[in-house]
Amino acid sequence: MSSHYEAPIREPLVLGEKSYHDISVDVGAPVLGKANKSWWIVFTIALVAFLWGLGCIIYTISTGIGVWGLNKTIGWAWDITNFVWWVGIGHAGTLISAVLLLFRQKWRMAVNRSAEAMTIFAVVQAGLFPIIHMGRPWLAYWVLPIPNQFGSLWVNFNSPLLWDVFAISTYLSVSLVFWWTGLLPDFAMIRDRTTSPFQKKIYGILSFGWSGRVKDWQRFEEVSLVLAGLATPLVLSVHTIVSFDFATSVVPGWHSTIYPPYFVAGAIFSGFAMVQTLLIIMRKVSNLEAYITVLHIEYMNKVILLTGGIVTVAYITEYFIGWYSGVPYENYTYLSFGAATGPYWWAFWALIICNLIVPLSLWVKKLRRNIVWTFIVALIINIGMWFERFDIIVIDLSKDRLTSSWTMFQPTFVDIGTFMGTIGFFFVLFLLYARTFPVIAQAEVKTILKSSGESFKRLRAEHGDDHSHVQTVEEYPADAGPAANVEDKHFDSAFDSTDAETENNEVDFEAHRGKIDNLLSGVGTFDPAVQKQDDLKKISGVGPVMEMKLHQLGIFTFEQVSRMTDREYDLLDEIISDFPGRAKRDDWAGQALMLKNKN
Amino acid sequence: MASKKIHAIYTDDDLLLQAVKQTRAANYHISEVFTPFPVHGLDHAVGIAPTRIAITSFLYGLTGLGVAVLMMNYMMIQDWPQNIGGKPSFTFYQNMPTFIPIMFELTVFFAAHLMVVTFYMRSKIWPFKKAENPDVRTTDDHFLMEVDADNHDVEKLTKFLYDTGASEISLIENEQDH
């Protein structure tokens, strides 16, 4: 069908011979399976960091802000640095899910779910700091304009710190419903695939009873589009408002009209760096390399390059205007000769090297498509963007108008511990998410499979654009029991039901006796007395029918499948001729090896 | 009255779309279609009206803007017209630049949340709602078309659906209409 046409120049976004069912299986696997050892190790480390941070927060609130390294001149340092850093990280998620949706970028579909999760979890971390950096956090509810017994004493709507309250809470709540609405069909998929009654109950509640009616989908798509249209200005406004905390002040170096767009560009820059960091690990750990491909990584690197370029232009502008203004106070702002050579020279140069110089390497295509290098650059950018906020806040405050109040800032272990705690909390949430949520928007990936899937692109290249894309799928009954109302497979009185299909399911033993022996000699035989049979259906590409056939041949374990080489694949194809080449394309042996090691 | 429906299951979205068009052309009534993902053009092919949910969102946004303006005008200009850092609090428009961030945020807040709530209510989905897809495979890779069979010859309709490429066809008889 021509509706699936896509220019041949575009690289495939879904690798391998995937069917719709394969996507469900691959996305559902981390949720339906068990966590491995490395997950528990990383989770424990994150949990310890989180608990340590929690201790620091409790210590701060019960003892007083004085346990931090702040002084009379520098009243904001690590607290607000971390706040802006976390908010910035959150922005890439909304950018991916909203802005790229408006631009109809298909590649966003494999990354948007995790990017949005990252947004939510990062904004949760960010949201902690405005509370805990308060001297009297138990009065935090006074920032809300609630009618009260003080003659109804209201808040002052002139303050950017109050705008922050509105911006962050709107941002968090809108991101949350945007994410959750997108999750409904995927939760429904898990609900309908799981065999555990507990999971069925939980995902039944989480999926809000999503049934996938055509009218529901129509509304769903409209809602997604409108939310994307709302989230795009929202994401720009939120970091703009955060930048107003500085830009509307009279502090030299802070008072600058370039901040709103420059902060937003920096937010996208650092946010994408964090997405890269997380997804490069996740695609490996969750076996999602067929969906989060090198192409996705390259695209994100290009966004990093673009926003990094915008940030660089902003740095140069700041530097130039600092000199051009002729204001002597600007000599000591965070991007000035004073900063480059002053006591915070190391923070200044860390910023320049991490944000300006290192990302330039991504102009080289080889490096841009190199996963290890991307990972390193992403980490460096995250560090650099932390320094950017630190430089803006601390350098500008440390040398203000009166020389008598010039000072330096020294963090205490509580400052550092709180920051470490939020990183731990972030990873606790993200790791739990990766085990319980469908990390790829499978319903969305299924919509691009026929236009951007590798196998379908190849079919079009071989057979022309008008080639039919109707898939022949293996017939199988529903995993969790038969279809609700169906008694027999077909309504069989109306037409002649031949038993051709059931006949096909039988392997013709006599004809293939020699080949079967040959095959078993390669993979080894199964002894029911000492061995246990595995669920071969866990291998992507093996359905109940194929499993039955393998059983008939005498293949029952992952161990046997994992020993298959090209010779065995060919033999298998000759014996079972239904899906020639399938076993090899899906790399059954490799999959079985992994499954075997998991058990 | 007992109602009869036929559930035809397809294994491919292109096949389904084609079947929907053929079924409509043959003047059979499609009462529902369940798909695992949004099939482009399906709503048009089934012949359902466009959704008006974007219009509601616009109205909710206007409501949010109105709430923000009334709230800040009352609190900052009417109730306590204080001098805070020399900001002119004599009229709303004089101090409006500092109100714009919150006017904007509340507009988005109302437009987004109320639209989503509207969507949940109109589509009748909420946390403890029971799923209503008749076959669990329709959230994975199967596509189900439900056709009214009350006033038709079931044998003929079944044959017709079989010819459209349905891989499973089943007759559903419900005791009560819904």
Side-chain angles (χ1 to χ4, degrees):
Chain A
M1 271 203 183
S2 53
S3 64
H4 297 303
Y5 175 80
E6 187 180 79
I9 197 170
R10 295 195 175 273
E11 288 179 54
L13 292 169
V14 181
L15 300 182
E17 304 280 326
K18 297 288 179 194
S19 66
Y20 294 137
H21 183 60
D22 292 335
I23 296 175
S24 308
V25 171
D26 292 344
V27 174
V31 182
L32 302 172
K34 281 202 158 50
N36 57 16
K37 211 167 135 197
S38 50
W39 186 89
W40 281 107
I41 292 171
V42 179
F43 182 74
T44 311
I45 295 170
L47 193 65
V48 169
F50 167 45
L51 292 176
W52 173 251
L54 201 62
C56 287
I57 291 171
I58 292 169
Y59 177 54
T60 305
I61 290 174
S62 54
T63 312
I65 291 293
V67 300
W68 290 357
L70 301 174
N71 52 50
K72 274 196 292 181
T73 301
I74 300 173
W76 276 356
W78 277 52
D79 47 354
I80 300 301
T81 299
N82 300 335
F83 164 68
V84 183
W85 189 73
W86 277 119
V87 175
I89 282 176
H91 278 50
T94 315
L95 189 99
I96 287 174
S97 55
V99 179
L100 297 183
L101 173 74
L102 296 183
F103 285 117
R104 306 282 174 200
Q105 293 296 305
K106 289 178 180 168
W107 63 270
R108 77 171 214 289
M109 288 172 179
V111 291
N112 63 354
R113 175 66 40 74
S114 297
E116 285 165 41
M118 186 191 77
T119 294
I120 311 259
F121 303 148
V123 175
V124 167
Q125 308 312 322
L128 288 173
F129 285 103
I131 308 283
I132 61 174
H133 92 302
M134 289 179 177
R136 299 178 192 85
W138 48 91
L139 299 180
Y141 70 97
W142 284 6
V143 304
L144 303 173
I146 311 168
N148 51 61
Q149 73 274 39
F150 305 114
S152 265
L153 187 61
W154 306 117
V155 289
N156 162 27
F157 286 99
N158 292 319
S159 167
L161 299 181
L162 186 70
W163 307 343
D164 268 351
V165 174
F166 281 80
I168 299 293
S169 50
T170 302
Y171 186 50
L172 180 63
S173 63
V174 171
S175 300
L176 199 63
V177 296
F178 193 8
W179 187 55
W180 203 270
T181 305
L183 272 161
L184 296 178
D186 294 2
F187 280 143
M189 183 274 286
I190 303 279
R191 170 197 76 206
D192 288 349
R193 278 186 52 76
T194 183
T195 48
S196 127
F198 176 71
Q199 276 193 327
K200 205 160 201 78
K201 179 122 191 100
I202 294 294
Y203 289 101
I205 295 168
L206 294 182
S207 64
F208 288 16
W210 177 264
S211 306
R213 290 187 177 87
V214 58
K215 186 71 189 178
D216 293 351
W217 281 119
Q218 186 199 41
R219 292 200 186 107
F220 177 91
E221 293 210 283
E222 184 90 349
V223 164
S224 305
L225 192 64
V226 174
L227 278 180
L230 290 169
T232 303
L234 183 63
V235 76
L236 300 181
S237 78
V238 168
H239 220 61
T240 294
I241 289 174
V242 169
S243 83
F244 283 162
D245 294 350
F246 311 103
T248 60
S249 73
V250 294
V251 176
W254 283 9
H255 185 74
S256 168
T257 52
I258 203 176
Y259 271 23
Y262 150 53
F263 263 50
V264 172
I268 297 164
F269 183 55
S270 69
F272 266 85
M274 191 57 124
V275 176
Q276 294 276 36
T277 317
L278 296 173
L279 287 189
I280 285 175
I281 296 174
M282 200 174 79
R283 69 195 284 277
K284 199 89 196 158
V285 180
S286 300
N287 295 320
L288 296 170
E289 281 117 322
Y291 303 98
I292 303 167
T293 65
V294 174
L295 186 66
H296 291 86
I297 291 172
E298 186 185 10
Y299 281 150
M300 288 195 277
N301 275 335
K302 284 181 177 170
V303 178
I304 288 178
L305 259 184
L306 173 71
T307 48
I310 295 172
V311 171
T312 301
V313 170
Y315 291 161
I316 295 167
T317 310
E318 281 272 284
Y319 205 85
F320 172 74
I321 294 295
W323 163 78
Y324 189 65
S325 67
V327 177
Y329 299 117
E330 293 278 330
N331 287 341
Y332 300 104
T333 62
Y334 87 106
L335 278 173
S336 65
F337 287 111
T341 57
Y344 281 112
W345 63 271
W346 48 272
F348 175 92
W349 289 106
L351 161 87
I352 299 295
I353 291 166
C354 295
N355 290 349
L356 204 155
I357 295 171
V358 175
L360 288 178
S361 66
L362 297 177
W363 283 99
V364 181
K365 185 164 184 176
K366 254 212 164 82
L367 294 173
R368 198 163 64 219
R369 291 181 77 102
N370 182 318
I371 293 174
V372 177
W373 181 248
T374 301
F375 188 75
I376 294 168
V377 171
L379 278 181
I380 289 173
I381 291 171
N382 280 324
I383 295 168
M385 286 307 291
W386 189 87
F387 270 111
E388 182 194 296
R389 279 69 179 249
F390 177 81
D391 289 2
I392 289 173
I393 294 169
V394 174
I395 295 182
D396 288 348
L397 287 177
S398 71
K399 289 192 174 176
D400 204 343
R401 289 196 169 80
L402 285 175
T403 46
S404 58
S405 54
W406 282 11
T407 185
M408 292 287 285
F409 170 78
Q410 192 70 47
T412 65
F413 81 95
V414 191
D415 284 299
I416 300 167
T418 307
F419 181 44
M420 291 301 153
T422 56
I423 292 177
F425 191 17
F426 176 78
F427 277 99
V428 164
L429 292 173
F430 196 83
L431 286 165
L432 287 174
Y433 150 81
R435 293 272 311 112
T436 48
F437 280 51
V439 293
I440 285 182
Q442 52 91 23
E444 290 193 67
V445 172
K446 283 172 185 173
T447 63
I448 60 161
L449 179 68
K450 285 189 173 181
S451 55
S452 306
E454 189 185 13
S455 50
F456 289 94
K457 287 190 87 79
R458 203 192 52 235
L459 279 179
R460 261 197 307 279
E462 285 168 6
H463 305 287
D465 294 329
D466 292 328
H467 179 72
S468 164
H469 281 306
V470 173
Q471 271 193 311
T472 42
V473 295
E474 200 187 349
E475 282 287 316
Y476 65 95
D479 273 349
N485 297 306
V486 186
E487 282 175 11
D488 271 320
K489 189 164 171 285
H490 289 287
F491 188 72
D492 42 342
S493 59
F495 49 88
D496 186 37
S497 70
T498 57
D499 284 331
E501 277 174 69
T502 37
E503 271 170 27
N504 271 341
N505 288 344
E506 296 282 328
V507 176
D508 191 350
F509 273 97
E510 292 317 307
H512 298 298
R513 174 53 57 195
K515 284 175 193 152
I516 293 172
D517 288 344
N518 200 351
L519 179 65
L520 287 182
S521 73
V523 298
T525 50
F526 174 74
D527 182 3
V530 290
Q531 282 173 294
K532 231 177 66 189
Q533 79 178 62
D534 294 317
D535 184 9
L536 296 180
K537 289 196 292 293
K538 282 185 182 161
I539 298 172
S540 145
V542 179
V545 177
M546 182 58 87
E547 187 190 33
M548 198 179 82
K549 290 182 181 179
L550 289 172
H551 283 179
Q552 286 171 1
L553 294 177
I555 297 175
F556 289 93
T557 63
F558 292 141
E559 171 120 42
Q560 285 174 304
V561 179
S562 69
R563 291 207 200 103
M564 291 177 93
T565 62
D566 283 353
R567 191 183 73 98
E568 279 80 24
Y569 286 144
D570 289 342
L571 280 167
L572 190 70
D573 285 344
E574 281 170 41
I575 303 166
I576 306 171
S577 48
D578 296 6
F579 296 98
R582 178 89 197 232
K584 189 172 177 181
R585 282 198 306 268
D586 289 353
D587 185 24
W588 287 5
Q591 289 188 54
L593 192 67
M594 256 185 305
L595 289 164
K596 189 184 89 185
N597 292 339
K598 232 182 250 175
N599 285 357
Chain B
M1 194 192 98
S3 77
K4 277 190 286 183
K5 301 213 190 272
I6 286 195
H7 284 176
I9 291 189
Y10 298 83
T11 54
D12 188 272
D13 49 335
D14 291 335
L15 213 54
L16 171 83
L17 203 55
Q18 193 188 325
V20 164
K21 285 175 185 160
Q22 287 169 352
T23 311
R24 287 249 296 162
N27 282 326
Y28 290 117
H29 180 250
I30 300 170
S31 50
E32 199 57 84
V33 182
F34 296 90
T35 62
F37 57 85
V39 177
H40 184 70
L42 184 64
D43 51 344
H44 185 70
V46 175
I48 54 175
T51 171
R52 294 162 294 176
I53 210 145
I55 301 169
T56 68
S57 179
F58 179 74
L59 298 176
Y60 295 144
L62 287 183
T63 313
L65 183 65
V67 167
V69 169
L70 290 175
M71 175 181 75
M72 288 187 289
N73 182 55
Y74 173 68
M75 293 178 188
M76 296 293 289
I77 311 294
Q78 306 296 330
D79 203 19
W80 297 75
Q82 300 252 62
N83 182 343
I84 303 163
K87 291 259 168 45
S89 56
F90 312 110
T91 59
F92 184 79
Y93 74 87
Q94 279 177 305
N95 206 4
M96 196 177 68
T98 66
F99 298 152
I100 282 181
I102 288 177
M103 285 157 64
F104 177 84
E105 296 299 331
L106 286 186
T107 306
V108 170
F109 186 91
F110 275 64
H113 286 295
L114 292 179
M115 173 186 64
V116 169
V117 170
T118 307
F119 166 52
Y120 289 171
M121 286 168 64
R122 290 287 289 150
S123 285
K124 299 195 174 61
I125 48 179
W126 49 77
F128 287 91
K129 168 91 176 187
K130 211 166 149 15
E132 287 167 346
N133 46 336
D135 188 311
V136 292
R137 291 170 297 172
T138 57
T139 53
D140 180 2
D141 63 346
H142 283 55
F143 304 78
L144 191 147
M145 178 168 73
E146 190 180 87
V147 184
D148 281 348
D150 277 332
N151 306 317
H152 300 288
D153 178 359
V154 173
E155 303 260 316
K156 227 176 100 190
L157 177 53
T158 308
K159 179 77 179 68
F160 171 80
L161 290 173
Y162 182 71
D163 289 340
T164 63
S167 63
E168 291 173 34
I169 299 165
S170 46
L171 181 69
I172 311 294
E173 290 194 66
N174 279 341
E175 277 315 305
Q176 76 277 4
D177 252 333
H178 59 97

